[in-house]
């Protein structure tokens, strides 16, 4: 009877383990698409316009590209228990493209290296509420989409058609 109970318990755990493994695979696929899409948006802006701001209160296009990469690196580092990349001081196009590429790649490697049970570890606290590792990664994904949409408006203000949406 004891062996039967163990088998039932193991079978009951399979959907949870499959869901966690599916999360990594599905999220990883969308992370790669986000990387490609974000880099296409970054490439669309001419180098001489990386300092463009619609108004003085906003970050420049280049600052936003660096911000996306930095926030991703920090968020995934918290989730994985690693160190974030060093944020560059410059915001020119070559620096931004390299930092975005390095950050997206580092984040993908950290996701791949995480054991499924790590996804439920507390990465940090936000307003007193624990943020789990998978939530930290989801936050980075959402924040990237938010700022990518913002800089697409910058492109339109420069009469540049943004790259087509990708999913």
């Amino acid at each position: 009877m004891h062996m039967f109970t163990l088998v039932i318990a193991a079978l009951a755990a399979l959907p949870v383990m499959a869901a966690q493994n599916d999360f990594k695979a599905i999220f990883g696929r969308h992370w790669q698409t986000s990387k490609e899409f974000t880099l296409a948006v970054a490439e669309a802006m001419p180098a001489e316009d990386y300092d463009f701001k619609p108004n003085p209160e906003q970050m420049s296009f280049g600052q936003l590209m660096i911000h996306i990469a930095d926030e991703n690196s920090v968020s995934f580092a918290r989730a994985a228990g690693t160190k974030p990349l060093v944020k560059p001081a410059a915001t020119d196009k070559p620096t931004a493209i390299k930092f975005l590429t390095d950050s997206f790649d580092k984040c993908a490697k950290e996701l791949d290296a995480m054991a499924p049970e790590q996804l439920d570890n507390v990465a940090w606290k936000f307003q007193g509420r624990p943020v789990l590792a998978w939530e930290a990664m989801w936050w980075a994904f959402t924040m990237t989409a938010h700022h990518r949409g913002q800089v697409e408006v910058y492109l339109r203000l420069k009469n540049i058609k943004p790259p087509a949406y990708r999913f």
Side-chain angles (χ1 to χ4, degrees):
M1 188 63 121
H2 181 66
M3 180 62 133
F4 179 75
T5 304
L6 289 175
V7 169
I8 295 298
L11 289 174
L14 282 177
V16 173
M17 293 179 346
Q20 289 173 336
N21 289 332
D22 286 348
F23 171 81
K24 283 181 61 173
I26 292 166
F27 188 87
R29 185 177 70 239
H30 287 288
W31 190 253
Q32 180 62 30
T33 301
S34 182
K35 172 189 174 183
E36 293 166 4
F37 188 20
T38 304
L39 286 170
V41 170
E43 288 286 359
M45 182 64 89
E48 62 271 13
D49 290 324
Y50 257 62
D51 61 351
F52 173 69
K53 297 178 179 187
N55 62 58
E57 293 83 33
Q58 290 182 277
M59 285 189 260
S60 70
F61 187 93
Q63 287 171 323
L64 277 164
M65 293 290 98
I66 295 294
H67 177 68
I68 289 169
D70 185 53
E71 290 295 320
N72 288 345
S73 177
V74 168
S75 185
F76 271 72
R78 288 175 171 172
T82 62
K83 299 258 186 223
L85 296 173
V86 175
K87 181 180 176 180
T91 61
D92 58 276
K93 186 172 183 174
T95 300
I97 298 291
K98 181 175 181 346
F99 191 48
L100 280 165
T101 302
D102 292 348
S103 180
F104 272 103
D105 291 347
K106 178 184 181 293
C107 294
K109 287 178 188 169
E110 289 173 341
L111 173 64
D112 285 344
M114 289 180 73
E117 59 273 8
Q118 282 181 274
L119 295 172
D120 289 325
N121 288 349
V122 175
W124 79 85
K125 292 197 177 197
F126 179 76
Q127 297 178 346
R129 184 184 73 78
V131 176
L132 303 179
W134 68 267
E135 290 177 303
M137 293 183 289
W138 190 254
W139 178 86
F141 187 88
T142 304
M143 188 274 316
T144 296
H146 165 75
H147 287 305
R148 188 177 53 234
Q150 183 180 3
V151 295
E152 286 182 15
V153 173
Y154 287 34
L155 290 173
R156 293 228 182 250
L157 290 170
K158 288 290 191 176
N159 294 314
I160 300 168
K161 183 178 179 184
Y165 180 75
R166 301 174 190 188
F167 179 73

